[in-house]
Amino acid sequence: MYLHNTQTETVVQDHDQTAGMLLNEISHALLFETMQHEIVFVNRNFCELFGIPVDPAVLIGTDCSNAAETSAHLFRHPQAFIDGIQRITASRQPVLNEELFLVNGTSVYRDYKPISVNGTDAGHLWIYKNSAELRSILNAVNEQKDFYEHLLNNIPADIAIFNAEHRYIFLNKIAISRNDTRGWLIGKDDYDYCRHTGKPAALADNRRAHFEEALRTGETVEFEEVNHKNDGAKVYNLRRFYPLKNERGRIELVIGYGINITSIREREAELQERERKFRDLVDSMDQLVVSVNRKGTILYANKTWNRLTGHADSTGKAVSQFLNAGRDRFMNNLEAFAEQENYRSDQRRVTMSDRDGKKHILTYYLSRFTHQETTEDRLAIFFTDITAQLQAENELRRIARQERKLSEMKSNFMTMVSHELRTPLSVILTSAELVEMITAAAPSAQETMPHTTRIISQVDRMTQLMNDFLFVSKVEAGKIPHNPVFFDVESLIQSLNKELYQPWKDGRSLSVSVKGKPVPVFADEPMIRLILINVINNAFKYSPDRPAPLLRIRFTKRKWQLLVVDNGIGISMQDQKRLFQPFVRGTNVGDIEGTGLGLMVVHLFAKKNKGKIMIKSQPGKGSAVWMQFPVQP
Amino acid sequence: MNSLLIIEDEPGLRAATAEILRRAGYTVHTASDGQEGLQAALQLQPDLILCDVMMPVLDGFSVLERLQKENTNGMPVFIFLTAKAQHESMCYGLELGADEYVFKPFKSSVLISIVEEKLRQRKQQEQCSRSKTDQA
């Protein structure tokens, strides 16, 4: 090849020279020999390593059968070196990084590669590498390996790398914390793992199914795995199989990684529990609660709604389809409210038929809220079924009407009775007076007079009783008109005092005092007059032979108060409780005349004029009647 | 002497009232129902009539109305003496033109003083109007 002096040969020679130059620059010592040990190529480093003091180009084509023997002295174990070469060349098995120790204390690494051309053994390639250099490379590789292992071990996820047969190639510490188990598992699969740890084979089945899916689709497969700890607590793991393809698209590895999502699941469960409690609360409300979108489509309805409408699930339906009277106005209100800003609507009414077609009257109001996930505006409608309440109110009104009717009947009856009694009473009275007149001059007058006088006074008493009774029945029947106006109550008291109590029948006089600035008050004057007369008369009547009663009237900005105090016989605690009932009189009244109707009328009239009444009394010491009325309407 | 007419359907009361007024010095006529009372009033022309309200045949209010229409010789003093003790009835009677309205049962002394007072008032009015006529 080198003898042909043609242009082409020159180019080839140039190329050989270039290749030789490049190989000389490689830091390793190279020797390529034919099967017959003829040197095809050797570089400068090889000559230097083995102490051959010639240019490597000179050695090409020479025989190197004895080279091993010639160079063996350089190695710490010369015979082993010679045997090694013979063994390697005989077996033609590749060797990588075989360390050989030199007598100078250093070492080299040896690679051997059998070279074949077109299926025929062509020769042996020997490469001797500088150990220090290689060690630093190997160290760098190991460092990198350590770094990635460290990284993989410390990623907060369990990581396992599988080969395509689903056998473990790598596991990090989070996947398996025990070093021995982790080491043991390499090359094994999940069935081995389940057997080894006593876990159910179903776990391996499940993982295998997802693994095969990842292989089949070439896509990442995600699944959730629930495991139980020794204490029975559930551990939730979200796992993924991520298939890794080589440049030809074949799946060589599958990375499995899992994240512990127990805390997320627990929080979800907690949220669900909270939502359940909230729903329970809303379901237990008496109100019918629905939430709707702006168009009035039901998104949620509580159980109270479902019970009344008879629909187990109303979601997706228009709320208006459940309503009867007032439906159009309801929809107008809903649409108008949806456009507004205010938080809550006014309360209105609408009617609805229940599952049995029974009509219900409901009040409702709307309020708004924002759905957390969608941030959509939602409306909540709170319906209150007031049917029963209205029925009760109607019933009360009916009873009140009936009571009024009864009172009226009683009043009419009393009027009739009093008519019928008046004529015979007149006959008795007039006749008794006539007897008195006729017998006045007779000698028997002294005997008859007390009797006729008694007849006359009893007719008087009966007439008074009848008048009071008639009056009370009129009051009860609401036949006494209530016409409040502003009037001067202080003047009324002063004129009553002058007219009736300066002095009273028995010679005692009422003492009146005024506190505060008298102002006109708003009340029914005839009623106040009657209250005053009744209370003051009582004070005189029930305090015979004792110091005279006193009256105090007091004006404040909003109220006026009346206090009548006597030093009379008083009222027992027992009697005080029943004083405002008809025909009730103190048990200690003795011969003092009365009908037991006065305080009842006082109480009724005070109530009509928004007044309060309070009586304090001590038997034998006296009574105090305190009343308070508003100044303004 | 003044003459009085008592129109009252209750015999006991009619008799007792008549007796009391007679003893007080009046000439007393009686009638037992409204119709009879109206006839007697027109015929006897009493100075004062005491009339019940609730009576058979013709009630007291009608007696007063008929008398006002049919009596051409001027009205006597007209007093209702009645068991209709309601405020409204009293107002109605006075509005019709009665001089007084007395509730039953009444005290004889009270009735006599009312009769005296009303007759005295009537006499004064008559004297007044007569002196006015004389002056004219």
Side-chain angles (χ1 to χ4, degrees), chain A residues 415 418-419 422-423 425-427 429-431 433-434 437-438 456 459-460 463 466 470 474, chain B residues 8 10 12-13 16-17 19-20 23 54 83-86 88 103-109:
Chain A
T415 310
S418 94
H419 280 166
R422 278 171 198 279
T423 304
L425 279 174
S426 303
V427 178
L429 183 60
T430 321
S431 300
E433 284 175 331
L434 204 54
M437 271 183 225
I438 293 165
I456 291 163
V459 171
D460 269 353
T463 308
M466 211 166 62
L470 199 60
K474 275 186 179 174
Chain B
E8 168 65 62
E10 167 56 45
L13 186 61
T17 313
E19 184 56 30
I20 281 171
R23 284 181 169 263
M54 294 180 294
K84 268 182 94 77
Q86 292 111 308
E88 311 85 70
F103 293 152
K104 291 174 185 176
F106 49 85
K107 284 240 162 112
S108 303
S109 52

mmCIF file of all heavy atoms in Angstrom, chain A residues 415 418-419 422-423 425-427 429-431 433-434 437-438 456 459-460 463 466 470 474, chain B residues 8 10 12-13 16-17 19-20 23 54 83-86 88 103-109:
data_model
loop_
_atom_site.group_PDB
_atom_site.id
_atom_site.type_symbol
_atom_site.label_atom_id
_atom_site.label_comp_id
_atom_site.label_asym_id
_atom_site.label_seq_id
_atom_site.Cartn_x
_atom_site.Cartn_y
_atom_site.Cartn_z
ATOM 1 N N THR A 415 -129.255 44.801 78.954
ATOM 2 C CA THR A 415 -130.141 45.942 78.689
ATOM 3 C C THR A 415 -131.588 45.509 78.842
ATOM 4 O O THR A 415 -132.405 46.184 79.476
ATOM 5 C CB THR A 415 -129.895 46.471 77.264
ATOM 6 O OG1 THR A 415 -128.498 46.666 77.112
ATOM 7 C CG2 THR A 415 -130.614 47.760 77.003
ATOM 8 N N SER A 418 -132.392 44.804 82.443
ATOM 9 C CA SER A 418 -132.520 46.030 83.232
ATOM 10 C C SER A 418 -133.840 46.740 82.910
ATOM 11 O O SER A 418 -134.488 47.290 83.778
ATOM 12 C CB SER A 418 -131.308 46.930 83.025
ATOM 13 O OG SER A 418 -131.550 47.863 82.019
ATOM 14 N N HIS A 419 -134.250 46.706 81.615
ATOM 15 C CA HIS A 419 -135.566 47.279 81.246
ATOM 16 C C HIS A 419 -136.662 46.627 82.052
ATOM 17 O O HIS A 419 -137.517 47.283 82.634
ATOM 18 C CB HIS A 419 -135.862 47.011 79.766
ATOM 19 C CG HIS A 419 -135.169 47.953 78.858
ATOM 20 N ND1 HIS A 419 -135.066 47.722 77.501
ATOM 21 C CD2 HIS A 419 -134.538 49.112 79.090
ATOM 22 C CE1 HIS A 419 -134.396 48.702 76.948
ATOM 23 N NE2 HIS A 419 -134.059 49.565 77.911
ATOM 24 N N ARG A 422 -136.593 47.528 85.765
ATOM 25 C CA ARG A 422 -136.818 48.921 86.166
ATOM 26 C C ARG A 422 -138.271 49.195 86.531
ATOM 27 O O ARG A 422 -138.538 49.924 87.501
ATOM 28 C CB ARG A 422 -136.363 49.873 85.057
ATOM 29 C CG ARG A 422 -134.885 50.124 85.091
ATOM 30 C CD ARG A 422 -134.386 50.890 83.885
ATOM 31 N NE ARG A 422 -132.943 50.723 83.761
ATOM 32 C CZ ARG A 422 -132.058 51.433 84.463
ATOM 33 N NH1 ARG A 422 -132.469 52.374 85.294
ATOM 34 N NH2 ARG A 422 -130.769 51.202 84.331
ATOM 35 N N THR A 423 -139.181 48.645 85.772
ATOM 36 C CA THR A 423 -140.593 48.932 86.049
ATOM 37 C C THR A 423 -141.036 48.341 87.404
ATOM 38 O O THR A 423 -141.541 49.097 88.249
ATOM 39 C CB THR A 423 -141.474 48.453 84.886
ATOM 40 O OG1 THR A 423 -140.973 49.090 83.697
ATOM 41 C CG2 THR A 423 -142.926 48.843 85.079
ATOM 42 N N LEU A 425 -139.144 47.626 89.894
ATOM 43 C CA LEU A 425 -138.422 48.377 90.934
ATOM 44 C C LEU A 425 -139.106 49.718 91.197
ATOM 45 O O LEU A 425 -139.201 50.168 92.341
ATOM 46 C CB LEU A 425 -136.964 48.616 90.504
ATOM 47 C CG LEU A 425 -135.981 47.465 90.720
ATOM 48 C CD1 LEU A 425 -134.626 47.793 90.113
ATOM 49 C CD2 LEU A 425 -135.814 47.191 92.220
ATOM 50 N N SER A 426 -139.568 50.349 90.087
ATOM 51 C CA SER A 426 -140.276 51.625 90.234
ATOM 52 C C SER A 426 -141.518 51.442 91.081
ATOM 53 O O SER A 426 -141.830 52.277 91.943
ATOM 54 C CB SER A 426 -140.707 52.172 88.870
ATOM 55 O OG SER A 426 -139.586 52.306 88.057
ATOM 56 N N VAL A 427 -142.240 50.326 90.798
ATOM 57 C CA VAL A 427 -143.492 50.068 91.546
ATOM 58 C C VAL A 427 -143.163 49.920 93.035
ATOM 59 O O VAL A 427 -143.804 50.541 93.891
ATOM 60 C CB VAL A 427 -144.204 48.802 91.015
ATOM 61 C CG1 VAL A 427 -145.465 48.522 91.830
ATOM 62 C CG2 VAL A 427 -144.539 48.968 89.554
ATOM 63 N N LEU A 429 -140.500 50.967 94.677
ATOM 64 C CA LEU A 429 -139.994 52.213 95.251
ATOM 65 C C LEU A 429 -141.142 53.199 95.512
ATOM 66 O O LEU A 429 -141.287 53.741 96.622
ATOM 67 C CB LEU A 429 -138.951 52.815 94.297
ATOM 68 C CG LEU A 429 -138.259 54.093 94.760
ATOM 69 C CD1 LEU A 429 -137.510 53.859 96.064
ATOM 70 C CD2 LEU A 429 -137.280 54.608 93.712
ATOM 71 N N THR A 430 -141.933 53.408 94.474
ATOM 72 C CA THR A 430 -143.017 54.396 94.600
ATOM 73 C C THR A 430 -144.006 53.959 95.669
ATOM 74 O O THR A 430 -144.469 54.763 96.492
ATOM 75 C CB THR A 430 -143.734 54.568 93.247
ATOM 76 O OG1 THR A 430 -142.747 54.525 92.210
ATOM 77 C CG2 THR A 430 -144.482 55.871 93.163
ATOM 78 N N SER A 431 -144.308 52.652 95.680
ATOM 79 C CA SER A 431 -145.274 52.138 96.669
ATOM 80 C C SER A 431 -144.733 52.292 98.081
ATOM 81 O O SER A 431 -145.455 52.713 98.995
ATOM 82 C CB SER A 431 -145.585 50.668 96.391
ATOM 83 O OG SER A 431 -146.133 50.555 95.098
ATOM 84 N N GLU A 433 -142.565 54.454 99.071
ATOM 85 C CA GLU A 433 -142.595 55.885 99.432
ATOM 86 C C GLU A 433 -144.002 56.338 99.802
ATOM 87 O O GLU A 433 -144.196 57.149 100.713
ATOM 88 C CB GLU A 433 -142.064 56.706 98.265
ATOM 89 C CG GLU A 433 -140.545 56.623 98.165
ATOM 90 C CD GLU A 433 -139.981 57.335 96.924
ATOM 91 O OE1 GLU A 433 -140.704 57.401 95.904
ATOM 92 O OE2 GLU A 433 -138.849 57.798 96.983
ATOM 93 N N LEU A 434 -144.947 55.753 99.065
ATOM 94 C CA LEU A 434 -146.355 56.093 99.336
ATOM 95 C C LEU A 434 -146.745 55.625 100.742
ATOM 96 O O LEU A 434 -147.381 56.372 101.506
ATOM 97 C CB LEU A 434 -147.236 55.419 98.275
ATOM 98 C CG LEU A 434 -148.599 56.025 98.002
ATOM 99 C CD1 LEU A 434 -148.490 57.514 97.655
ATOM 100 C CD2 LEU A 434 -149.303 55.285 96.879
ATOM 101 N N MET A 437 -145.343 57.945 103.127
ATOM 102 C CA MET A 437 -146.124 59.202 103.169
ATOM 103 C C MET A 437 -147.392 59.027 103.965
ATOM 104 O O MET A 437 -147.726 59.839 104.816
ATOM 105 C CB MET A 437 -146.497 59.607 101.731
ATOM 106 C CG MET A 437 -145.469 60.477 101.051
ATOM 107 S SD MET A 437 -146.140 60.898 99.422
ATOM 108 C CE MET A 437 -144.728 60.631 98.406
ATOM 109 N N ILE A 438 -148.112 57.902 103.678
ATOM 110 C CA ILE A 438 -149.422 57.675 104.299
ATOM 111 C C ILE A 438 -149.266 57.473 105.810
ATOM 112 O O ILE A 438 -150.045 58.004 106.590
ATOM 113 C CB ILE A 438 -150.121 56.459 103.652
ATOM 114 C CG1 ILE A 438 -150.476 56.783 102.183
ATOM 115 C CG2 ILE A 438 -151.370 56.053 104.426
ATOM 116 C CD1 ILE A 438 -150.839 55.556 101.352
ATOM 117 N N ILE A 456 -136.652 51.157 100.514
ATOM 118 C CA ILE A 456 -136.245 52.215 99.586
ATOM 119 C C ILE A 456 -134.728 52.168 99.327
ATOM 120 O O ILE A 456 -134.265 52.232 98.176
ATOM 121 C CB ILE A 456 -136.681 53.602 100.137
ATOM 122 C CG1 ILE A 456 -138.223 53.704 100.083
ATOM 123 C CG2 ILE A 456 -136.062 54.744 99.344
ATOM 124 C CD1 ILE A 456 -138.812 54.810 100.935
ATOM 125 N N VAL A 459 -133.770 49.272 97.097
ATOM 126 C CA VAL A 459 -134.092 49.524 95.683
ATOM 127 C C VAL A 459 -133.011 50.419 95.071
ATOM 128 O O VAL A 459 -132.544 50.174 93.962
ATOM 129 C CB VAL A 459 -135.505 50.159 95.544
ATOM 130 C CG1 VAL A 459 -135.735 50.625 94.109
ATOM 131 C CG2 VAL A 459 -136.570 49.192 95.961
ATOM 132 N N ASP A 460 -132.569 51.393 95.847
ATOM 133 C CA ASP A 460 -131.480 52.281 95.405
ATOM 134 C C ASP A 460 -130.250 51.464 95.049
ATOM 135 O O ASP A 460 -129.618 51.636 94.009
ATOM 136 C CB ASP A 460 -131.082 53.230 96.555
ATOM 137 C CG ASP A 460 -131.872 54.522 96.499
ATOM 138 O OD1 ASP A 460 -132.606 54.695 95.496
ATOM 139 O OD2 ASP A 460 -131.749 55.331 97.438
ATOM 140 N N THR A 463 -130.682 49.380 91.993
ATOM 141 C CA THR A 463 -130.628 50.219 90.796
ATOM 142 C C THR A 463 -129.165 50.530 90.429
ATOM 143 O O THR A 463 -128.759 50.446 89.266
ATOM 144 C CB THR A 463 -131.395 51.531 91.033
ATOM 145 O OG1 THR A 463 -132.696 51.202 91.516
ATOM 146 C CG2 THR A 463 -131.506 52.352 89.770
ATOM 147 N N MET A 466 -127.497 47.519 89.024
ATOM 148 C CA MET A 466 -127.972 47.290 87.663
ATOM 149 C C MET A 466 -127.271 48.248 86.685
ATOM 150 O O MET A 466 -126.834 47.855 85.608
ATOM 151 C CB MET A 466 -129.466 47.554 87.644
ATOM 152 C CG MET A 466 -130.235 46.753 86.664
ATOM 153 S SD MET A 466 -131.971 46.897 87.053
ATOM 154 C CE MET A 466 -132.250 48.633 86.830
ATOM 155 N N LEU A 470 -124.758 47.100 83.771
ATOM 156 C CA LEU A 470 -125.074 47.469 82.387
ATOM 157 C C LEU A 470 -123.877 48.179 81.751
ATOM 158 O O LEU A 470 -123.497 47.907 80.600
ATOM 159 C CB LEU A 470 -126.277 48.412 82.422
ATOM 160 C CG LEU A 470 -127.055 48.580 81.148
ATOM 161 C CD1 LEU A 470 -127.613 47.257 80.678
ATOM 162 C CD2 LEU A 470 -128.211 49.564 81.369
ATOM 163 N N LYS A 474 -121.435 46.950 78.638
ATOM 164 C CA LYS A 474 -121.235 47.814 77.461
ATOM 165 C C LYS A 474 -119.745 47.999 77.173
ATOM 166 O O LYS A 474 -119.324 47.978 76.024
ATOM 167 C CB LYS A 474 -121.871 49.184 77.714
ATOM 168 C CG LYS A 474 -123.336 49.228 77.379
ATOM 169 C CD LYS A 474 -123.833 50.627 77.509
ATOM 170 C CE LYS A 474 -125.313 50.702 77.159
ATOM 171 N NZ LYS A 474 -125.834 52.040 77.428
ATOM 172 N N GLU B 8 -149.268 55.328 81.296
ATOM 173 C CA GLU B 8 -148.406 54.245 81.785
ATOM 174 C C GLU B 8 -149.189 52.943 81.723
ATOM 175 O O GLU B 8 -150.304 52.861 82.208
ATOM 176 C CB GLU B 8 -148.002 54.577 83.237
ATOM 177 C CG GLU B 8 -147.352 53.450 84.015
ATOM 178 C CD GLU B 8 -146.005 53.022 83.449
ATOM 179 O OE1 GLU B 8 -145.068 53.825 83.420
ATOM 180 O OE2 GLU B 8 -145.917 51.838 82.995
ATOM 181 N N GLU B 10 -148.280 50.002 83.076
ATOM 182 C CA GLU B 10 -148.156 49.171 84.279
ATOM 183 C C GLU B 10 -149.111 49.725 85.348
ATOM 184 O O GLU B 10 -148.877 50.817 85.892
ATOM 185 C CB GLU B 10 -146.695 49.210 84.754
ATOM 186 C CG GLU B 10 -146.411 48.666 86.125
ATOM 187 C CD GLU B 10 -146.869 47.226 86.325
ATOM 188 O OE1 GLU B 10 -146.645 46.378 85.452
ATOM 189 O OE2 GLU B 10 -147.507 46.961 87.377
ATOM 190 N N GLY B 12 -149.841 49.074 88.550
ATOM 191 C CA GLY B 12 -149.331 49.373 89.894
ATOM 192 C C GLY B 12 -148.592 50.688 89.918
ATOM 193 O O GLY B 12 -148.803 51.531 90.782
ATOM 194 N N LEU B 13 -147.728 50.869 88.944
ATOM 195 C CA LEU B 13 -146.919 52.095 88.895
ATOM 196 C C LEU B 13 -147.801 53.300 88.589
ATOM 197 O O LEU B 13 -147.617 54.388 89.141
ATOM 198 C CB LEU B 13 -145.832 51.939 87.837
ATOM 199 C CG LEU B 13 -144.825 53.084 87.769
ATOM 200 C CD1 LEU B 13 -144.066 53.231 89.086
ATOM 201 C CD2 LEU B 13 -143.821 52.885 86.637
ATOM 202 N N ALA B 16 -149.697 54.173 91.797
ATOM 203 C CA ALA B 16 -148.846 54.722 92.856
ATOM 204 C C ALA B 16 -148.347 56.117 92.498
ATOM 205 O O ALA B 16 -148.346 57.019 93.336
ATOM 206 C CB ALA B 16 -147.671 53.782 93.106
ATOM 207 N N THR B 17 -147.947 56.309 91.202
ATOM 208 C CA THR B 17 -147.458 57.617 90.772
ATOM 209 C C THR B 17 -148.585 58.647 90.867
ATOM 210 O O THR B 17 -148.391 59.784 91.331
ATOM 211 C CB THR B 17 -146.913 57.543 89.333
ATOM 212 O OG1 THR B 17 -146.052 56.400 89.225
ATOM 213 C CG2 THR B 17 -146.115 58.776 88.971
ATOM 214 N N GLU B 19 -151.154 58.601 92.794
ATOM 215 C CA GLU B 19 -151.448 58.895 94.184
ATOM 216 C C GLU B 19 -150.431 59.883 94.766
ATOM 217 O O GLU B 19 -150.798 60.835 95.445
ATOM 218 C CB GLU B 19 -151.443 57.577 94.984
ATOM 219 C CG GLU B 19 -151.824 57.702 96.444
ATOM 220 C CD GLU B 19 -153.187 58.354 96.690
ATOM 221 O OE1 GLU B 19 -154.084 58.220 95.828
ATOM 222 O OE2 GLU B 19 -153.344 59.036 97.727
ATOM 223 N N ILE B 20 -149.196 59.647 94.469
ATOM 224 C CA ILE B 20 -148.143 60.536 95.000
ATOM 225 C C ILE B 20 -148.339 61.961 94.503
ATOM 226 O O ILE B 20 -148.261 62.927 95.260
ATOM 227 C CB ILE B 20 -146.750 59.989 94.622
ATOM 228 C CG1 ILE B 20 -146.397 58.848 95.571
ATOM 229 C CG2 ILE B 20 -145.676 61.068 94.670
ATOM 230 C CD1 ILE B 20 -145.165 58.072 95.203
ATOM 231 N N ARG B 23 -151.259 63.644 96.029
ATOM 232 C CA ARG B 23 -150.909 64.089 97.382
ATOM 233 C C ARG B 23 -150.041 65.347 97.339
ATOM 234 O O ARG B 23 -150.002 66.108 98.282
ATOM 235 C CB ARG B 23 -150.139 62.986 98.116
ATOM 236 C CG ARG B 23 -151.082 61.893 98.575
ATOM 237 C CD ARG B 23 -150.376 60.787 99.316
ATOM 238 N NE ARG B 23 -151.387 59.935 99.936
ATOM 239 C CZ ARG B 23 -151.772 60.062 101.202
ATOM 240 N NH1 ARG B 23 -151.228 60.967 101.979
ATOM 241 N NH2 ARG B 23 -152.717 59.282 101.688
ATOM 242 N N MET B 54 -142.160 52.552 76.406
ATOM 243 C CA MET B 54 -142.534 51.244 75.847
ATOM 244 C C MET B 54 -143.940 50.865 76.315
ATOM 245 O O MET B 54 -144.126 50.502 77.490
ATOM 246 C CB MET B 54 -141.507 50.201 76.272
ATOM 247 C CG MET B 54 -140.142 50.452 75.661
ATOM 248 S SD MET B 54 -138.918 49.234 76.137
ATOM 249 C CE MET B 54 -138.772 49.556 77.864
ATOM 250 N N ALA B 83 -138.212 53.114 81.437
ATOM 251 C CA ALA B 83 -137.219 52.083 81.793
ATOM 252 C C ALA B 83 -136.127 51.998 80.726
ATOM 253 O O ALA B 83 -135.156 51.279 80.894
ATOM 254 C CB ALA B 83 -137.900 50.730 81.934
ATOM 255 N N LYS B 84 -136.322 52.716 79.591
ATOM 256 C CA LYS B 84 -135.273 52.725 78.547
ATOM 257 C C LYS B 84 -134.170 53.677 79.009
ATOM 258 O O LYS B 84 -134.161 54.862 78.685
ATOM 259 C CB LYS B 84 -135.853 53.213 77.214
ATOM 260 C CG LYS B 84 -136.358 52.085 76.334
ATOM 261 C CD LYS B 84 -136.875 52.602 75.019
ATOM 262 C CE LYS B 84 -135.835 52.570 73.926
ATOM 263 N NZ LYS B 84 -135.632 51.222 73.375
ATOM 264 N N ALA B 85 -133.269 53.100 79.827
ATOM 265 C CA ALA B 85 -132.301 53.952 80.526
ATOM 266 C C ALA B 85 -131.015 54.168 79.747
ATOM 267 O O ALA B 85 -129.962 54.339 80.317
ATOM 268 C CB ALA B 85 -132.000 53.351 81.891
ATOM 269 N N GLN B 86 -131.104 54.118 78.396
ATOM 270 C CA GLN B 86 -129.869 54.348 77.647
ATOM 271 C C GLN B 86 -129.737 55.807 77.235
ATOM 272 O O GLN B 86 -130.718 56.478 76.934
ATOM 273 C CB GLN B 86 -129.815 53.481 76.375
ATOM 274 C CG GLN B 86 -129.693 52.014 76.662
ATOM 275 C CD GLN B 86 -130.971 51.311 76.283
ATOM 276 O OE1 GLN B 86 -132.059 51.724 76.718
ATOM 277 N NE2 GLN B 86 -130.844 50.279 75.481
ATOM 278 N N GLU B 88 -128.724 56.937 74.460
ATOM 279 C CA GLU B 88 -129.229 57.193 73.099
ATOM 280 C C GLU B 88 -130.741 57.447 73.110
ATOM 281 O O GLU B 88 -131.241 58.330 72.410
ATOM 282 C CB GLU B 88 -128.936 56.005 72.160
ATOM 283 C CG GLU B 88 -127.501 55.491 72.187
ATOM 284 C CD GLU B 88 -127.266 54.486 73.293
ATOM 285 O OE1 GLU B 88 -127.790 53.371 73.208
ATOM 286 O OE2 GLU B 88 -126.556 54.837 74.256
ATOM 287 N N PHE B 103 -135.401 58.482 84.212
ATOM 288 C CA PHE B 103 -135.215 57.020 84.218
ATOM 289 C C PHE B 103 -135.983 56.400 85.369
ATOM 290 O O PHE B 103 -136.027 56.952 86.482
ATOM 291 C CB PHE B 103 -133.731 56.665 84.404
ATOM 292 C CG PHE B 103 -132.848 57.064 83.251
ATOM 293 C CD1 PHE B 103 -131.503 57.353 83.457
ATOM 294 C CD2 PHE B 103 -133.345 57.129 81.952
ATOM 295 C CE1 PHE B 103 -130.679 57.698 82.405
ATOM 296 C CE2 PHE B 103 -132.523 57.482 80.904
ATOM 297 C CZ PHE B 103 -131.191 57.779 81.114
ATOM 298 N N LYS B 104 -136.534 55.216 85.124
ATOM 299 C CA LYS B 104 -137.114 54.416 86.202
ATOM 300 C C LYS B 104 -136.005 53.579 86.828
ATOM 301 O O LYS B 104 -135.079 53.195 86.109
ATOM 302 C CB LYS B 104 -138.167 53.456 85.648
ATOM 303 C CG LYS B 104 -139.431 54.120 85.147
ATOM 304 C CD LYS B 104 -140.307 53.065 84.507
ATOM 305 C CE LYS B 104 -141.536 53.686 83.861
ATOM 306 N NZ LYS B 104 -142.336 52.689 83.151
ATOM 307 N N PRO B 105 -135.990 53.242 88.081
ATOM 308 C CA PRO B 105 -136.947 53.748 89.083
ATOM 309 C C PRO B 105 -136.539 55.150 89.552
ATOM 310 O O PRO B 105 -135.352 55.453 89.549
ATOM 311 C CB PRO B 105 -136.791 52.737 90.211
ATOM 312 C CG PRO B 105 -135.412 52.212 90.075
ATOM 313 C CD PRO B 105 -135.029 52.307 88.646
ATOM 314 N N PHE B 106 -137.498 55.935 89.927
ATOM 315 C CA PHE B 106 -137.222 57.329 90.323
ATOM 316 C C PHE B 106 -137.691 57.531 91.755
ATOM 317 O O PHE B 106 -138.608 56.854 92.231
ATOM 318 C CB PHE B 106 -137.949 58.288 89.375
ATOM 319 C CG PHE B 106 -139.396 57.923 89.203
ATOM 320 C CD1 PHE B 106 -140.361 58.359 90.119
ATOM 321 C CD2 PHE B 106 -139.804 57.114 88.152
ATOM 322 C CE1 PHE B 106 -141.691 57.998 89.953
ATOM 323 C CE2 PHE B 106 -141.128 56.739 87.998
ATOM 324 C CZ PHE B 106 -142.087 57.178 88.901
ATOM 325 N N LYS B 107 -137.116 58.494 92.408
ATOM 326 C CA LYS B 107 -137.539 58.853 93.771
ATOM 327 C C LYS B 107 -138.721 59.811 93.649
ATOM 328 O O LYS B 107 -138.690 60.719 92.822
ATOM 329 C CB LYS B 107 -136.390 59.568 94.491
ATOM 330 C CG LYS B 107 -135.289 58.623 94.956
ATOM 331 C CD LYS B 107 -135.164 58.720 96.468
ATOM 332 C CE LYS B 107 -134.431 57.539 97.029
ATOM 333 N NZ LYS B 107 -133.139 57.871 97.569
ATOM 334 N N SER B 108 -139.731 59.639 94.472
ATOM 335 C CA SER B 108 -140.931 60.493 94.434
ATOM 336 C C SER B 108 -140.539 61.957 94.594
ATOM 337 O O SER B 108 -141.028 62.816 93.851
ATOM 338 C CB SER B 108 -141.880 60.111 95.565
ATOM 339 O OG SER B 108 -142.203 58.754 95.468
ATOM 340 N N SER B 109 -139.646 62.211 95.532
ATOM 341 C CA SER B 109 -139.264 63.609 95.794
ATOM 342 C C SER B 109 -138.622 64.227 94.569
ATOM 343 O O SER B 109 -138.878 65.391 94.241
ATOM 344 C CB SER B 109 -138.282 63.650 96.965
ATOM 345 O OG SER B 109 -137.226 62.745 96.707
#
